[in-house]
Amino acid sequence: MTQTGARENLEGRVQRALTELRPYLEADGGDIQLVEITDELCVRVELHGACVDCQMIHMTLKGGVEHAIRQAAPEVTKVEAINWPIT
């Protein structure tokens, strides 16, 4: 597989993980969007709606989002939210 093909495969797996999580976030008035995957395999996401101000977002980000992404793409080194200061 080419480097471009591998990158597209990784992005597809991350997007699928986020798609599976999205209904749970939307049920609480939030959402999440993939912003980028860095060369160091750090996944950067942006939180939307109620997720931005939610007091439980740390648990959601680490326990839900990061777990789901790492299950789909174990090579990911880190997951961080660009619009949430503590990840």
Side-chain angles (χ1 to χ4, degrees):
M1 184 180 297
T2 67
Q3 187 174 8
T4 301
R7 186 61 156 208
E8 289 172 358
N9 179 279
L10 174 60
E11 184 173 333
R13 289 182 285 140
V14 170
Q15 288 285 17
R16 279 190 295 281
L18 295 178
T19 297
E20 290 177 12
L21 289 171
R22 191 162 280 114
Y24 302 103
L25 298 173
E26 289 174 343
D28 289 328
D31 201 0
I32 193 167
Q33 174 185 1
L34 176 62
V35 174
E36 71 173 329
I37 301 173
T38 69
D39 290 339
E40 294 79 27
L41 300 179
C42 173
V43 172
R44 292 193 174 129
V45 297
E46 184 173 11
L47 304 167
H48 298 281
C51 286
V52 175
D53 298 320
C54 178
Q55 293 180 344
M56 301 301 287
I57 192 56
H58 182 69
M59 289 176 47
T60 300
L61 188 62
K62 292 297 178 183
V65 175
E66 185 171 338
H67 178 74
I69 289 173
R70 286 182 185 257
Q71 288 285 61
E75 64 269 37
V76 166
T77 60
K78 185 177 181 182
V79 176
E80 61 186 26
I82 63 166
N83 60 334
W84 194 64
I86 304 169
T87 55

